[in-house]
Amino acid sequence: MSGIVLDKISMVYTLNDGGEVHALDDVSLDIADGEIVTVLGPSGCGKTTLLNILAGFLSPTKGEVRVEGKPVTGPGPDRGMVFQQGALFEWLTVSENVSFGPRMAGKPKKEIAETVAHLLDTVGLQGFGEKPVYQLSGGMQQRVALARCLANDPKVILMDEPLGALDALTREKMQGLVLKLWKEFGKTILLITHSVEEALFLGERLIVMAPRPGRIKKEFRLPFADQGLSKDPRDIKAAPDFVRTREEILSMIWEMEEQIMGQSESETSE
Amino acid sequence: MSNQKKPSELAIWLGIADTSFTRQKTVKFGDASAVNSGRIYSILIVIALVALWIISSVFGLVKPFYWPTIDGTIDRFIKLLTEGFRNTPLWEHVGISIYRVISGVLYGSLVGIPLGFAMGLSSIARGLFDPIVEFMRPIPPLALIPLIILWFGIDETAKIFLLFLASLFIMTIAARSGVSSVRVSKVHAAYSLGASRLQILRNVILPNALPEIFTGIRTSMGVCWGTVVAAELVAADKGVGSMIMIAKNFLQTDTVVLGITIIGLIGYAIEMAMRWAERRLIPWKGKG
Ligand SMILES: Nc1ncnc2c1ncn2[C@@H]1O[C@H](COP(=O)(O)OP(=O)(O)OP(=O)(O)O)[C@@H](O)[C@H]1O
Ligand SMILES: [Mg+2]
């Protein structure tokens, strides 16, 4: 049974002035169980829209999403979310944030305590359980967000620029954590990022999207995520293969950006 | 520079000396954080005012009808404490005013918070109550006194109803804006963690709105304190407001001045107590 199926998804936003934005046009994508897929593309190409449709927060104007064969009609605990920032519950402690899902499901207290302890350990936050989340650094907050998501044991994890607000060093460390969690928990992961390097490093498969209308431009199969835990990340990122693909994708994105600029220039000069 | 003598803590507290950090700043004009407390001047002005009062009392510069003498005021204060005012102890006058405020805020919250929540969460509730809330919002509570007297007369119910109205609209608006301020990503996260609507209301929307609800309670307390004093001036036989109004009829300027001072101090104490409670109860305020 395949993990996620996006079946000819189109999304058109109708604006108040009657105009239309074709955020996604006929996007199809299969993601296998346990696969980690990264999505990259210029700003406004519909990445967040795609993720929100998968999560069930938006229903597409055309097409269907299926997770484990079941059509998606709304959000659900089978699809965990990790947002860029600001989605933690600041009135709760770290532990209370992590245990949110199991508590809502009415799991036994003892089981919850064990899950939380184990997950805090896994994401490297042992001893921080009783802290209020607003006292943690940005990187630690994202660790809490990951743990909170895992505590609910979803089949699929959807992440929208989860590391986007972090500084470069913290970001590299967190990339390692994402890979580790992927290997350890065997989840299906879809991760959106603006960083070409991150998309290459984390994705078994990398999807490059193009804007206006939002669509899939190119797909890459990559070996780097598999090597990620056994090799030094710095070596992987400096390997000739990695650098070559990075440059290829970068010039592809630059081309798209230039097209967008050209389009909007001709629009404004009219 | 570093061999400069460190200013004593007392000097910094008094505002005679800058902290060592501020001293190193070269730009001070326009940098509000470089303006120190200037407490020495606060102390001087208080001393000067008290001295002026003593001098005018000793030499009888102002007629006690306009402003009481200091010894007369102290005597009056002791009398108020021991004998009360018009057969009612001072604490009872103060107590009943505070009781009215707390009742008003309590009832206002009990109705206003659910109302604000409904308005923030449902178009029907918002449509139904928006005209009423927006119409009532700019009306000063005191302007309602005549109508309330016509409805309820001047008994206790009337006063508490007035304060209830004063806090109701503040609480409704606070709760509504608390609900609307919730970041949609938090609600989305909760749904993706399997929470039901009711659980989201209880575990996400409510705690998220608490800081604004609390600010609403604090504002209500302040407004109700002002309103209760004014309402007691109009019609009441107990309460600090009525105390100073009756004292005026007997030309007891000292009681009037004491009453005004007590009103000010209690208003200040309410504000401080609420801020303290806010820090204790809602430490996450502004940290989302
Ligand atoms: N609620 C909305 N109403 C109208 N248009 C929208 C709405 N949300 C998004 N859009 C438009 O749809 C397009 C895709 O938006 P989306 O947020 O999915 O892009 P994105 O790839 O996530 O961009 P970014 O990289 O900047 O996050 C954009 O042109 C955007 O302006
Ligand atoms: Mg986006």
Side-chain angles (χ1 to χ4, degrees):
Chain A
M1 187 89 253
S2 169
I4 304 173
V5 178
L6 290 163
D7 195 0
K8 301 202 177 85
I9 299 285
S10 294
M11 182 73 195
V12 181
Y13 290 108
T14 313
L15 303 176
N16 289 336
D17 62 7
E20 288 184 341
V21 179
H22 289 257
L24 293 172
D25 186 46
D26 206 27
V27 172
S28 292
L29 180 67
D30 281 18
I31 302 174
D33 263 340
E35 204 177 5
I36 181 165
V37 175
T38 50
V39 179
L40 198 62
S43 188
C45 70
K47 304 182 293 293
T48 299
T49 303
L50 186 76
L51 204 84
N52 281 336
I53 289 173
L54 252 173
F57 303 137
L58 289 174
S59 73
T61 39
K62 258 197 238 144
E64 190 181 60
V65 181
R66 290 185 294 275
V67 172
E68 309 274 311
K70 277 183 296 213
V72 166
T73 52
D78 55 333
R79 282 149 292 140
M81 303 289 298
V82 179
F83 297 92
Q84 182 169 20
Q85 64 179 159
L88 291 180
F89 307 127
E90 70 268 21
W91 49 89
L92 300 178
T93 63
V94 169
S95 291
E96 290 165 339
N97 263 281
V98 175
S99 65
F100 190 87
R103 279 191 289 126
M104 296 301 112
K107 293 260 168 66
K109 281 221 170 79
K110 200 165 151 256
E111 189 188 321
I112 295 178
E114 280 164 14
T115 313
V116 170
H118 170 234
L119 283 172
L120 288 185
D121 222 45
T122 314
V123 299
L125 284 177
Q126 53 276 67
F128 286 91
E130 298 316 308
K131 286 233 178 225
V133 283
Y134 57 80
Q135 283 181 4
L136 304 186
S137 68
M140 288 161 117
Q141 290 189 354
Q142 286 313 79
R143 287 170 196 263
V144 178
L146 285 168
R148 181 177 73 174
C149 177
L150 287 166
N152 225 24
D153 199 22
K155 295 181 187 121
V156 174
I157 301 181
L158 307 171
M159 310 198 206
D160 194 352
E161 299 179 38
L163 313 181
L166 306 179
D167 67 273
L169 275 176
T170 312
R171 191 165 185 159
E172 291 226 341
K173 261 190 245 161
M174 293 293 288
Q175 289 170 358
L177 179 64
V178 170
L179 277 186
K180 178 184 136 187
L181 296 178
W182 170 60
K183 286 265 164 76
E184 207 163 293
F185 291 84
K187 303 287 180 199
T188 311
I189 296 180
L190 185 79
L191 183 147
I192 291 174
T193 173
H194 268 131
S195 153
V196 177
E197 200 180 79
E198 187 168 287
L200 282 167
F201 183 66
L202 293 180
E204 284 185 294
R205 214 151 35 112
L206 189 166
I207 314 276
V208 181
M209 289 182 64
R212 301 188 178 198
R215 64 213 128 93
I216 293 175
K217 168 123 177 162
K218 196 161 179 192
E219 258 193 63
F220 295 82
R221 283 216 160 266
L222 303 165
F224 311 113
D226 259 335
Q227 309 166 355
L229 284 182
S230 46
K231 280 204 214 163
D232 184 347
R234 297 269 24 112
D235 288 344
I236 296 178
K237 290 178 182 177
D241 248 16
F242 192 97
V243 175
R244 190 163 26 76
T245 328
R246 189 182 70 201
E247 292 312 310
E248 184 186 338
I249 294 174
L250 269 174
S251 57
M252 196 172 0
I253 291 182
W254 270 115
E255 233 168 74
M256 287 192 257
E257 292 278 358
E258 264 160 31
Q259 266 175 15
I260 299 172
M261 297 290 278
Q263 273 175 20
S264 45
E265 261 164 37
S266 62
E267 273 165 28
T268 47
S269 61
E270 268 166 28
Chain B
M1 277 305 198
S2 55
N3 56 11
Q4 243 175 326
K5 217 174 119 248
K6 209 168 148 255
S8 71
E9 269 183 45
L10 180 68
I12 291 173
W13 188 80
L14 286 172
I16 303 166
D18 281 328
T19 60
S20 42
F21 182 63
T22 305
R23 268 192 305 159
Q24 303 306 118
K25 289 186 178 178
T26 56
V27 175
K28 289 187 185 173
F29 183 81
D31 177 353
S33 65
V35 179
N36 74 35
S37 70
R39 234 177 235 107
I40 184 78
Y41 301 104
S42 313
I43 293 168
L44 288 177
I45 188 77
V46 171
I47 291 174
L49 288 173
V50 172
L52 195 68
W53 194 12
I54 292 173
I55 292 167
S56 80
S57 305
V58 171
F59 295 101
L61 299 181
V62 184
K63 273 196 206 150
F65 174 81
Y66 292 112
W67 192 261
T69 60
I70 191 160
D71 45 322
T73 310
I74 293 170
D75 286 349
R76 174 67 69 190
F77 187 54
I78 291 167
K79 225 184 208 165
L80 283 178
L81 283 180
T82 50
E83 293 168 25
F85 181 74
R86 310 245 305 149
N87 300 326
T88 307
L90 178 63
W91 64 262
E92 203 176 319
H93 282 293
V94 173
I96 195 148
S97 299
I98 293 178
Y99 161 78
R100 284 168 182 155
V101 167
I102 290 177
S103 309
V105 173
L106 186 70
Y107 295 129
S109 304
L110 284 179
V111 178
I113 295 172
L115 192 61
F117 266 65
M119 289 177 74
L121 294 169
S122 132
S123 319
I124 298 175
R126 181 169 163 185
L128 277 178
F129 298 114
D130 224 22
I132 307 174
V133 170
E134 293 302 322
F135 175 74
M136 291 300 291
R137 195 222 283 261
I139 299 176
L142 294 180
L144 302 172
I145 290 182
L147 191 61
I148 287 174
I149 290 179
L150 288 175
W151 287 355
F152 294 96
I154 56 162
D155 65 355
E156 202 56 29
T157 329
K159 276 173 221 86
I160 294 191
F161 189 73
L162 175 69
L163 298 178
F164 159 73
L165 285 182
S167 78
L168 173 63
F169 297 103
I170 298 174
M171 293 313 301
T172 306
I173 291 165
R176 183 182 65 182
S177 82
V179 170
S180 339
S181 75
V182 63
R183 252 199 230 199
V184 72
S185 62
K186 281 180 193 144
V187 175
H188 280 175
Y191 272 116
S192 293
L193 290 166
S196 66
R197 283 183 185 201
L198 203 66
Q199 285 176 325
I200 285 176
L201 183 65
R202 158 80 186 74
N203 295 288
V204 181
I205 295 174
L206 176 66
N208 191 83
L210 276 183
E212 296 194 48
I213 289 176
F214 209 89
T215 307
I217 295 179
R218 183 149 67 89
T219 316
S220 286
M221 287 286 227
V223 169
C224 282
W225 181 244
T227 308
V228 79
V229 170
E232 287 167 352
L233 292 180
V234 177
D237 51 6
K238 276 184 194 164
V240 271
S242 78
M243 184 178 91
I244 60 177
M245 205 58 181
I246 296 167
K248 174 218 68 169
N249 294 339
F250 290 94
L251 307 182
Q252 277 184 21
T253 314
D254 44 10
T255 307
V256 172
V257 168
L258 277 169
I260 292 171
T261 311
I262 290 170
I263 289 165
L265 288 177
I266 290 176
Y268 182 73
I270 289 175
E271 175 72 16
M272 287 299 121
M274 293 303 290
R275 283 196 202 170
W276 176 81
E278 186 170 72
R279 276 197 305 274
R280 290 294 305 273
L281 298 175
I282 311 179
W284 69 84
K285 184 180 176 176
K287 307 255 171 63

